[in-house]
Amino acid sequence: MKNTTPAAPAAQAPAPLKNAPSRTEPRPERSTGSRIGELVQRQGVLAVLLTVILIASFVYPTFASLDNARGVTVQASFLAIVALGMTLVIITGGIDLSVGSVFALGGVLAAWASQWGFLAALFVPLVVCGAIGLVNGLLIARANMAPFIVTLATLLAARGMLLAFTDEGATTYLVPKDSAFAELGQGSVWGFGYPILIALALFGAGGLLLQRTSFGQTLFAVGGSSDAATLMGLPVARTKILVYTLSGLLAGLAGALNAARLSSGVTIVGVGMELDAISAVVIGGTLLIGGAGSISGTLWGVLLLAVIQNLINQIGSLNSSYQSVVSGGFLIVVVVAQRYLARSRRTT
């Protein structure tokens, strides 16, 4: 007989633990300085705006009058519409220098087309100015050209088209009096001009687009890192084309509304408007490098520039050129503050 020893039992795998408590790594809490920095970047311009309004109301009683407030907001509504498109462009990390010339071209085209009715006065500038924005987007997104160079070229091209269309500014097209198009720029509801209501509606739609849609989140992703957005499968090129087209459309719409308000297509408007729009956007907290920004901040930035301009007019002893000095000063302070806040958030 053979001596046999029983085989050792096979090692069994340990049974899985039941009801094991899940362990999640606690999220690092943001420091107080980081939270304050984000709050200042988002709402600091609103605090400055309210402070300036409060001080100006005490110093100049006419500043706080309802008529003055209406005048300030109507004048600011055109820049606000242009700055709305600029906000979307800058969030993606781009820039649009052509909006001032496109604004003026849109006004002249609207005044010229107003002789054929309301729809023509709106349709013609929107089509032409939207096409200019589309060209910007295609050259930047498809040809990989620098936004600064492309939009600088279309700035010159749009201004050249304007001068050619008006015989070097010798021809001024007038909007027919008592027309529906003129009413769009000069009419009001409850004392608020139609341009104000249109600007507010556009900003409301822009806020929803930026915060509540996938397109808005794509804008932030593209501005944060275009290469990373491409690796994520996001439509980077299509997004850039759309934002530049929207910028052209909004600049053309603002120009048309301004022509309706003035009852003519003025050729000298819009000079330097692109710089005012960029200033308002950056003062409102949108980063020039892209990836961060808000629609409401741009609105406060536009109103702040308009209030400063009106306050200079209230003083009387200063001319309008001081508004550019103050705007430039604000812009330098804000850009320096943004760099400091971004650096402090990286270190916390």
Side-chain angles (χ1 to χ4, degrees), residues 5 25 30 32 38 43-44 47 50 91 98 113 117 181 208-209 218 239 287-288 295 310 327 342:
T5 58
E25 294 294 331
R30 293 182 301 171
T32 304
E38 290 184 5
Q43 303 299 335
L50 294 177
I91 286 177
S98 67
F181 181 64
L208 291 176
L209 178 72
T218 302
T239 299
L287 298 180
L288 269 176
I295 298 297
N310 186 261
S327 301

Side-chain angles (χ1 to χ4, degrees), residues 172-234:
T172 300
Y173 297 99
L174 301 178
V175 176
K177 293 182 179 180
D178 301 326
S179 64
F181 181 64
E183 179 67 16
L184 183 65
Q186 301 169 14
S188 61
V189 176
W190 301 313
F192 294 97
Y194 287 135
I196 300 174
L197 301 178
I198 293 172
L200 290 177
L202 289 173
F203 266 79
L208 291 176
L209 178 72
L210 199 61
Q211 300 295 334
R212 302 295 182 184
T213 66
S214 58
F215 177 73
Q217 301 308 306
T218 302
L219 295 184
F220 289 113
V222 171
S225 174
S226 182
D227 293 337
T230 302
L231 293 176
M232 292 168 60
L234 297 177

Side-chain angles (χ1 to χ4, degrees), residues 82-94 206-207 209-210 215-216 219 239 242-244 246-247 250 281 286 295 298:
V82 175
L84 174 60
M86 186 70 75
T87 303
L88 301 179
V89 170
I90 292 180
I91 286 177
T92 62
L209 178 72
L210 199 61
F215 177 73
L219 295 184
T239 299
L242 283 174
V243 294
Y244 281 98
L246 283 173
S247 181
L250 290 172
V281 172
T286 299
I295 298 297
T298 296

